[in-house]
Amino acid sequence: MRPWTNKTVALGVVGLICLIIGTLLSCMWPLVFEGILRKELPLTQNSRGFELWKDTDKLPLFIDFYLFNWTNPDELREEGKKPNFVQMGPYRFRERRVKVNVVFHPENSTVSYDQMKYWYFDAEHSNGTLKDRVIALNAVAVSAAHTIRYWNPMMQGTLSYLLASSKIYINKTAGELLFEGYSDQIISMGSLMASDDFEVPPFDKFGWFYMRNGSTYFDGHFNVGTGEDDLANLGVVKLWNYKDTIKNFHTPCNAVEGIAGEFWPPKRGTEDISIWTGELCRPLTYEYSEDVMHLGIKGYKFSLGEKSLGNNTKRQYPHEQAKYFEKTTTTEDFFSADVTTPRNANSNNKNINEDNPDVVNIGRCYCNGECTPMGLMNITACRFGAPAFVSLPHFHKADPILRSQISGMNPQDDIHNFYVTLEPNTGIPLDVGARLQINVLLQPSLTISFFKDVPKIFFPMFWFNVRGGVPDEMAGGLRQLLMLPTSGLYGSIILATIGATLIVIVIIVQFIRNSPPLPGKSRRTQATNGTKTELVYMDTTTPPDDHERNDRPLQPKN
Ligand SMILES: *[C@@H]1O[C@H](CO)[C@@H](O)[C@H](O)[C@H]1NC(C)=O
Ligand SMILES: *[C@@H]1O[C@H](CO)[C@@H](O)[C@H](O)[C@H]1NC(C)=O
Ligand SMILES: *[C@@H]1O[C@H](CO)[C@@H](O)[C@H](O)[C@H]1NC(C)=O
Ligand SMILES: *[C@@H]1O[C@H](CO)[C@@H](O)[C@H](O)[C@H]1NC(C)=O
Ligand SMILES: *[C@@H]1O[C@H](CO)[C@@H](O)[C@H](O)[C@H]1NC(C)=O
Ligand SMILES: *[C@@H]1O[C@H](CO)[C@@H](O)[C@H](O)[C@H]1NC(C)=O
């Protein structure tokens, strides 16, 4: 029998415990980390992010406006002349988002709220003042002409008369165009004509952001998942203005979907992310583009691309979402109605099964009528019938035809892209650049003399750039949090290795002890030199007679 000593047994046991704990931890660590995320990330009244979510006052959130100054309005009707634009700005505002009427619904893990936004002009970081004069297309007159296209000639005649005293362009200050608003007789007329089937903007003035400061009217009422039931629901818009569909688009483009934008579900791969934008009455799709480093943290960069900007985006719907489709229109009908794309046109694309009834050309339902070239999103239905179109700034990623009709556009990916960089484990947005341009469609009108001989052009009005992300001073904390899985894993691997090493040492020691005492003499001399190893070597050199060892009180028999 093998003689064991107290020390070898103890060592072996310690080694075994280390090995077991280390192995368990290294297997369980991802679960441990996920447990931490699951505890920390959901939105509750006591969660870490709650205060910042409720009021972003402490976050560095900015919006830069760039206005286009139309330098040659007199040449609009001249053959061979293009409208020329000079970009002005940035006019920077600090943006503050405040959630009000916040109500948590633990029964379905959602939270309801209204959102208010405040903007504060930041003169120091602006290039120009709000008193700068800008020449722009008369968007009010163009919208009015567009809205009444199909009215009876008499009404159109009235407007024509009204418009005769207007100009095709306006000369206003930057402040008036953005927040202050300006009066216009057409607006006053319009509000008199409002009726059930003629929706008129409820404003007395026009400005792109007129009345938005401190108002809950524009963003709408949200019901958003808190992630308590499942982290995949964190920040996902469940209802918007109390509904899960909207009236502005046809099915299935009428579904309210995507995230609200503050919380991004964690544990994301590189699959697309939809973000709900109430101001456009539709979601925007972020598509993965590349891995990037931001403040020393690795992130996935997602950008707005063809899926939102194109007019031919096919999408497969999960079957249960068919509830969003109008009863009268099956998706099959939808496809047949889509005469411009033969059903086998995309048969080389393996992702799209043309025979699958759940595949829908959402590019078409977002057209909402006449389609536009790539790069424009039609938000006419969302803007009281005003012919407004959203694109990337300077018609970036758009059909070059849009740029060729005008001059002054100079798209550059680094400053005109619409993107978000997410930390993939936590879903924390490291860097956000939300940039969109608002354009107005000018087109000739047969009945309104004022618009008879104008060219058809998508006119750029302004663009904005909302910047946000993890502030520098929070990046350190985030880096530490992200080290947790790695350091935890390394820690447990080291523990397991120590355990394994101890066990191997014990086994080797036992092996040596049990091996025949070959150069026994020299070993014994060696052993006597050190008291520590004495016992070990004495044992190994004793003859393997069990009864002889009985009188030796060194070690209890095993
Ligand atoms: C805008 O363009 C007009 C016409 O070219 C010019 O008179 C005006 O000074 C420009 N505004 C600014 C702020 O540059
Ligand atoms: C400031 O605006 C002017 C035009 O108004 C432009 O020429 C200039 O490049 C801008 N400067 C910066 C730093 O953007
Ligand atoms: C928005 O409202 C706040 C407070 O009501 C005010 O301080 C701020 O100047 C306003 N911003 C603009 C752009 O009018
Ligand atoms: C969750 O429950 C609240 C309160 O009952 C309700 O108002 C809300 O519409 C529900 N949300 C969903 C997505 O069902
Ligand atoms: C844009 O949408 C409106 C209604 O929502 C529709 O009438 C129009 O045809 C669409 N397309 C263009 C290019 O205006
Ligand atoms: C869709 O976009 C493409 C690319 O810009 C354009 O060539 C095509 O004419 C558009 N389709 C329609 C129906 O407008």
Side-chain angles (χ1 to χ4, degrees), residues 311 340 364 371-374 399:
N311 58 24
T340 48
R364 287 299 144 88
C371 281
T372 54
M374 156 102 178
D399 194 324

Side-chain angles (χ1 to χ4, degrees), residues 144 147-156 193 197-198 447:
T147 311
I148 65 157
R149 267 169 313 164
Y150 306 115
W151 287 16
N152 69 50
M154 202 198 79
M155 294 281 267
Q156 296 205 21
M193 291 193 288
D197 42 34
F198 177 49
T447 44

Side-chain angles (χ1 to χ4, degrees), residues 117 119 139-140 142-144 146-147 198-203 206-210 212 217-220 240-241 246-249 277-282 368 377-390 436-441 462 464:
K117 286 185 189 145
W119 289 275
V140 173
V142 172
S143 303
H146 184 87
T147 311
F198 177 49
E199 216 182 344
V200 159
F203 312 116
F206 177 80
W208 295 107
F209 278 66
Y210 177 56
R212 287 185 180 230
Y217 176 82
F218 294 90
D219 285 355
W240 188 63
N241 290 336
I246 46 164
K247 63 176 175 20
N248 313 66
F249 291 101
T277 41
E279 315 218 335
L280 309 186
C281 307
R282 60 171 284 174
N368 224 2
M377 292 178 275
N378 186 353
I379 58 163
T380 303
C382 195
R383 281 288 170 275
F384 304 101
F389 296 81
V390 174
L436 292 174
Q437 174 171 307
I438 311 299
N439 312 283
V440 169
L441 174 63
F462 71 99
F464 61 82

